Amino acid sequence: KESVLVDLIDWASISTEEIAAELAKRDDLLDQSGLMCKALWDLRVKLHPVACVDSIPVRRGESGRTEFGFIIRNTGYYTGRLWASGGVIKYNEFAREALRRHYRETLGVGIEIVSELPDLNEYPQRDPRKHTPFIGCDPHKHSLSKIYLVRLCGDVSFVTTSHGGQEAAGLNWFLPENLPERERFAYEGYDFVYGAVQENRDLVLER
């Protein structure tokens, strides 16, 4: 019945402001986990940057030097590429709270914040005029991410999501001089990764 009514509505005769005002009255814009439906998400990313939080795990390696960890993405446009761990900040979440949630949902571990890094902007198209080490490319959205270095608390366990998949297919660790080539990283973000790792290559971690 609802689909029939939708077909009968002359949407062109209704202003965008009226449609938005009607949507704002609804109490089902977010599901129980705090996420919006795909249609709303597509509208959201078309209008404004998305707030995200990401991080690079660090650990003290067997040599005593600091190693940097990157997940192997298992979803989306950059499946199979290396990237930082994190994701979208939900409504009414603090950035660090969201980051801890992402680690529980992806790697099954807690985290300890080590330090904060410069923010990362990711644009749908790379703009040479805006190129800095802290700009990447996401073909689906413009996002702004808070970035942290973190230590993992516990053993990694790749978590299966409610959709039956896993966001991460692995977690690889590297010394600063052994970072993989540019093409291995997602979001055209090698410059960001390289800058963050080299800036912290002499970081000393206690066991």
Side-chain angles (χ1 to χ4, degrees), residues 169-184:
L171 175 64
N172 292 353
W173 296 91
F174 304 96
L175 288 168
E177 64 271 19
N178 293 333
L179 285 178
E181 60 274 13
R182 178 180 296 272
E183 292 73 21
R184 288 284 308 281

Side-chain angles (χ1 to χ4, degrees), residues 30 33-34 51 88-98 101:
L30 303 177
S33 65
V88 173
I89 301 173
K90 292 181 180 180
Y91 179 75
N92 209 30
E93 257 188 337
F94 291 110
R96 296 188 180 200
E97 178 185 3
R101 172 178 57 79

